[in-house]
């Protein structure tokens, strides 16, 4: 049932992001158990998983790197709780997931959110400004990382 799907997902996710450094694993387990997560924790996890930084660097450094690479929304702040629309923006930008006209013209978190919802990567009953739990964030990141490859 649902538990087996979650268990399978976690193993699949760990396989996709086998770059589990000591500090990164710590951040991941912190995220899995957290009801919400910050922009810098997501940035750190994503930057490690995509090998943009190594585990000796901090979440703040990861945040700055992704911010300067335009992989985070313009208004993102390190300690802000991540919303579904901002997470969608990170996923669309990071994995170059193809989007529709509005995403291609405006590249805003709201259009990124709409794209991932349309692709069933975000649940249909989710609101853009809703805060994302750590577990859901990791799930969406995992789905998007492989969707980007399938989308080519």
């Amino acid at each position: 049932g649902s538990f087996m799907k979650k268990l399978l997902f976690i193993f699949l996710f760990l396989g996709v992001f086998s770059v589990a450094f000591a500090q990164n694993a710590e951040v991941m387990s912190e995220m899995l158990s957290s009801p919400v997560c910050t922009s810098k924790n997501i940035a750190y996890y994503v930057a490690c998983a995509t090998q943009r930084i190594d585990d000796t660097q901090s979440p703040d450094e990861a945040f700055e790197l992704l911010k300067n690479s335009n992989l985070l929304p313009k208004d993102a702040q390190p300690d802000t709780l991540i919303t579904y629309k901002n997470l969608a923006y990170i996923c669309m930008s990071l994995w170059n997931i193809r989007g529709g006209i509005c995403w291609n013209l405006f590249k805003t978190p709201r259009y990124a959110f709409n794209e991932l919802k349309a692709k069933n990567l975000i649940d249909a009953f989710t609101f853009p400004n809703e805060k994302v739990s750590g577990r859901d964030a990791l799930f969406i990141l995992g789905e998007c990382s492989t969707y980007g490859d399938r989308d080519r």
Side-chain angles (χ1 to χ4, degrees):
S2 179
F3 177 74
M4 288 307 289
K5 277 185 186 172
K6 287 177 188 166
L7 198 59
L8 177 66
F9 158 72
I10 290 172
F11 286 117
L12 175 74
F13 189 79
L14 291 173
V16 171
F17 289 120
S18 58
V19 192
F21 303 111
Q23 191 178 346
N24 194 23
E26 207 174 287
V27 170
M28 185 169 150
S29 57
E30 194 180 292
M31 282 174 61
L32 277 171
S33 62
S34 177
V36 290
C37 45
T38 62
S39 295
K40 73 179 175 188
N41 278 359
I42 293 284
Y44 178 78
Y45 188 79
V46 163
C48 280
T50 57
Q51 300 179 326
R52 283 176 164 76
I53 64 167
D54 61 49
D55 64 336
T56 61
Q57 293 169 283
S58 72
D60 288 306
E61 289 172 304
F63 179 85
E64 285 308 312
L65 175 78
L66 294 188
K67 183 92 168 163
N68 294 335
S69 304
N70 295 320
L71 295 173
L72 295 176
K74 291 174 182 37
D75 62 348
Q77 296 298 314
D79 294 312
T80 322
L81 296 179
I82 196 110
T83 60
Y84 278 94
K85 70 180 185 183
N86 285 352
L87 182 63
Y89 180 91
I90 293 167
C91 291
M92 291 287 292
S93 303
L94 186 67
W95 286 293
N96 294 314
I97 296 172
R98 282 194 296 222
I101 292 170
C102 290
W103 166 251
N104 288 315
L105 286 176
F106 303 110
K107 302 258 191 239
T108 65
R110 182 62 187 234
Y111 289 121
F113 173 80
N114 291 343
E115 289 294 336
L116 294 190
K117 241 173 127 168
K119 295 175 189 316
N120 293 317
L121 295 169
I122 291 180
D123 186 68
F125 299 105
T126 304
F127 296 102
N129 291 320
E130 205 176 316
K131 306 297 183 247
V132 186
S133 73
R135 193 194 72 209
D136 288 349
L138 290 173
F139 181 77
I140 292 166
L141 287 167
E143 288 291 297
C144 289
S145 73
T146 59
Y147 189 89
D149 296 335
R150 295 189 307 261
D151 196 32
R152 303 267 166 257

